[in-house]
């Protein structure tokens, strides 16, 4: 699972907003091997028990105001 954890970290986008834990991808990668081992342990525990901690299942959405006069969303 260590290879999968490292691959997941490398495929994450850097400029995304942090979650409720305020931990960014840059912060995790700066910790290198120590954090990867801890993260692998957490992921293995979730896999083996079939449960996800509540703190990892939360997300915060901030709505952004639309432009004045906008009626519908256009997909690009």
């Amino acid at each position: 699972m260590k290879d999968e954890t490292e691959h997941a970290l490398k495929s994450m986008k850097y400029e995304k907003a942090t979650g409720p834990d305020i931990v960014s991808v840059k912060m995790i990668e700066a910790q290198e091997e120590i954090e990867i081992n801890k993260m692998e342990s957490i992921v293995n525990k979730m896999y083996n028990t079939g449960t996800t901690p509540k703190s990892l299942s939360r997300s915060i959405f901030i709505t952004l105001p639309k432009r004045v006069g906008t009626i519908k969303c256009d997909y690009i």
Side-chain angles (χ1 to χ4, degrees):
M1 287 275 259
K2 183 176 181 179
D3 293 337
E4 293 174 7
T5 305
E6 289 175 344
H7 177 70
L9 281 174
K10 289 178 183 175
S11 66
M12 295 174 108
K13 296 182 181 180
Y14 280 88
E15 302 305 322
K16 293 292 184 176
T18 61
D21 59 3
I22 311 173
V23 177
S24 69
V25 176
K26 288 181 183 179
M27 292 169 68
I28 295 170
E29 283 195 347
Q31 297 298 316
E32 296 178 2
E33 194 71 24
I34 296 168
E35 287 301 313
I36 290 173
N37 289 338
K38 285 182 184 178
M39 188 173 297
E40 180 187 9
S41 173
I42 293 168
V43 171
N44 283 336
K45 186 175 182 179
M46 289 188 308
Y47 180 79
N48 292 330
T49 62
T51 61
T52 304
K54 287 183 182 181
S55 61
L56 291 178
S57 61
R58 285 185 31 214
S59 62
I60 297 173
F61 290 91
I62 300 172
T63 57
L64 301 174
K66 295 192 263 181
R67 294 183 195 166
V68 177
T70 302
I71 297 173
K72 70 177 191 175
C73 181
D74 292 329
Y75 293 98
I76 299 175

